[in-house]
């Protein structure tokens, strides 16, 4: 009844309840002495009795900048850590992880440890591709795995973001681990193997224990033409002689995209540096060349073996489509000592 205990009843007799020299009618804190009448945000309440002096939506009790800037509201876009300090002008640590914004590799995502697997400008907490392999973390099976490599047909057959040579135990992603997969570079979840040898039908050059086609000599190499077969088409070159590689191809298509995979078996005594060569794949129908594509080989992780995968998109798929591969050689194996072969791509012709 008498805020300032001056003996005058506040409701009827006292015109300055808090006795701060500001008449109640004009006092922005009528029952709390504030003779200076400070009012940072210019609202109806003076700072002495205002629960949010700067009117940013964060109560003074938890506002790190209670008497900071006005004319803004704290939110996800303006105040990342909700501390009441405006990110763009007041807050030197927007995400409150004790790493100053100037040196924080994720300035808007708390990461006190500043972990950064690939050493780029973004820390792991905010980097969409932590290991910089070209596969986004959301679809990367090894997002915190090897860095300093790029996912591609020669390094990551199934595109799962796991490096085939060191991380991936199922290179072709068919659900069968490489250690037991009879075609580790060609998806064949059923592991069909008609002749019961070490190679499944999808990658076996002799699916029934006999050569699928009789090679005919053409120029400096040999060419074998394979008729269509269920599953996929495949063919192998004649047995390699000393310092002549053995090339195996398999072809499939999905819609108008043709995919050819291959393995180059190196002869004894040839160093793995031969895997730095290329394979040129020529797609033909009849005697007409539709497209030619050169693909770099990579090591397969198996003794004396290189591999490659190539894809092309064709406007139309002819009734008979042949993919012919030729190893173009390098300093170790000369182009003249190569084998060539053809495979008829499964599904050629029709819809």
């Amino acid at each position: 009844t008498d805020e300032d205990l001056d003996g005058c009843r506040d409701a009827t007799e006292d015109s300055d309840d808090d006795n701060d020299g500001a008449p109640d009618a004009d006092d922005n804190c009528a029952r709390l002495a504030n003779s200076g009448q400070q009012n940072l945000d210019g609202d109806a309440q003076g700072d002495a009795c205002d629960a949010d002096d700067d009117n940013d939506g964060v109560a003074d009790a938890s506002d790190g900048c209670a008497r900071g800037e006005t004319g803004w509201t704290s939110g996800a876009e303006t105040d990342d850590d909700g501390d009441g300090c405006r990110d763009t002008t007041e807050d030197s640590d927007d995400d409150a992880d004790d790493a100053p914004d100037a040196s924080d590799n994720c300035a808007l995502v708390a990461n006190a440890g500043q972990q950064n697997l690939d050493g780029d400008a973004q820390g792991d907490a905010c980097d969409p591709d932590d290991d910089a392999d070209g596969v986004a973390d959301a679809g990367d099976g090894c997002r915190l795995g090897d860095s300093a490599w790029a996912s591609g047909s020669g390094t990551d057959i199934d595109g799962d973001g796991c490096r085939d040579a060191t991380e991936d135990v199922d290179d072709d992603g068919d659900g069968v681990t490489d250690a037991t997969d009879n075609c580790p570079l060609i998806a064949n979840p059923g592991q069909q193997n008609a002749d019961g040898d070490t190679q499944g039908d999808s990658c076996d050059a002799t699916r029934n224990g006999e050569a699928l086609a009789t090679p005919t000599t053409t120029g400096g190499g040999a060419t074998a033409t394979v008729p269509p077969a269920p599953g996929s088409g495949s063919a192998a070159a004649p047995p390699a002689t000393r310092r002549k590689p053995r090339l195996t191809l398999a072809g499939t298509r999905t819609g108008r995209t043709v995919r050819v995979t291959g393995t180059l078996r190196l002869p004894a005594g040839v160093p793995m540096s031969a895997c730095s060569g290329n394979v040129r794949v020529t797609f033909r129908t009849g005697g007409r060349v539709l497209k030619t594509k050169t693909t770099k080989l990579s090591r397969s992780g198996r003794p004396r073996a290189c591999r490659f995968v190539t894809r092309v998109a064709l406007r139309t798929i002819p009734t008979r489509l042949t993919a012919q591969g030729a190893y173009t050689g390098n300093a170790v194996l000369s182009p003249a000592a190569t084998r060539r072969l053809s495979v008829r791509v499964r599904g050629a012709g029709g819809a």
Side-chain angles (χ1 to χ4, degrees):
T1 58
D2 184 10
E3 177 70 27
D4 55 5
L5 301 177
D6 62 356
C8 297
R9 189 177 189 179
D10 290 342
T12 57
E13 298 177 301
D14 200 340
S15 61
D16 183 9
D17 292 349
D18 55 11
N19 196 31
D20 61 0
D24 292 342
D26 303 320
D27 195 338
N28 57 21
C29 287
R31 297 186 63 79
L32 188 63
N34 63 330
S35 57
Q37 298 287 288
Q38 291 86 353
N39 190 358
L40 180 66
D41 56 7
D43 61 3
Q45 292 178 305
D47 295 340
C49 59
D50 194 341
D52 183 9
D53 289 351
D54 56 7
N55 199 32
D56 61 3
V58 179
D60 293 344
S62 57
D63 194 332
C65 298
R67 295 190 57 77
E69 291 189 17
T70 59
W72 72 286
T73 302
S74 173
E77 298 298 322
T78 57
D79 183 13
D80 187 67
D81 55 5
D83 64 353
C85 296
R86 193 176 194 176
D87 289 342
T88 54
T89 55
E90 298 180 301
D91 202 339
S92 61
D93 182 12
D94 291 349
D95 55 11
D97 61 1
D98 294 326
D101 293 340
S103 58
D104 194 337
N105 58 21
C106 288
L108 297 179
V109 179
N111 63 330
Q114 298 287 287
Q115 291 85 355
N116 190 359
L117 178 66
D118 55 9
D120 62 3
Q122 292 178 302
D124 296 340
C126 60
D127 194 340
D129 182 9
D130 289 348
D131 55 7
D133 60 2
V135 179
D137 291 344
D140 194 331
C142 299
R143 71 178 188 86
L144 292 176
D146 287 355
S147 59
W149 72 287
S151 173
S153 60
T155 56
D156 184 13
I157 291 291
D158 55 6
D160 64 353
C162 296
R163 193 177 195 174
D164 290 342
T166 57
E167 300 178 300
D168 202 339
V169 297
D170 180 13
D171 290 352
D172 54 13
D174 61 2
V176 182
T177 59
D178 296 340
T180 59
D181 195 336
N182 57 23
C183 287
L185 301 182
I186 299 176
N188 63 329
Q191 298 285 286
Q192 289 85 356
N193 190 358
D195 57 8
D197 62 3
T198 58
Q199 291 182 306
D201 296 343
S202 296
C203 60
D204 196 345
T206 56
R207 186 178 300 124
N208 297 308
E210 298 179 355
L212 295 182
T214 302
T216 57
T217 301
T218 58
T223 299
T225 301
V226 183
S232 67
S234 61
T241 59
R242 186 174 181 272
R243 302 191 69 78
K244 291 186 179 181
R246 178 174 180 270
L247 182 64
T248 300
L249 297 182
T252 59
R253 79 174 182 94
T254 303
R256 292 184 174 85
T257 298
V258 177
R259 179 177 185 266
V260 173
T261 60
T263 301
L264 185 77
R265 300 285 182 180
L266 302 177
V270 174
M272 288 300 292
S273 58
C275 287
S276 62
N278 300 313
V279 169
R280 184 177 63 252
V281 180
T282 304
F283 296 87
R284 304 172 183 271
T285 178
R288 184 164 61 95
V289 175
L290 299 178
K291 190 166 291 190
T292 299
K293 189 169 183 180
T294 298
T295 302
K296 186 174 179 60
L297 284 163
S298 66
R299 298 188 183 191
S300 72
R302 291 167 178 77
R304 300 199 307 276
C306 320
R307 66 183 177 192
F308 75 93
V309 177
T310 189
R311 295 179 177 85
V312 296
L314 302 176
R315 288 188 176 182
T316 58
I317 302 295
T319 302
R320 182 177 178 81
L321 175 65
T322 298
Q324 183 180 62
Y327 172 67
T328 58
N330 63 3
V332 179
L333 295 172
S334 67
T338 63
R339 288 285 186 258
R340 298 193 304 166
L341 64 146
S342 297
V343 296
R344 181 172 178 185
V345 178
R346 170 191 166 212

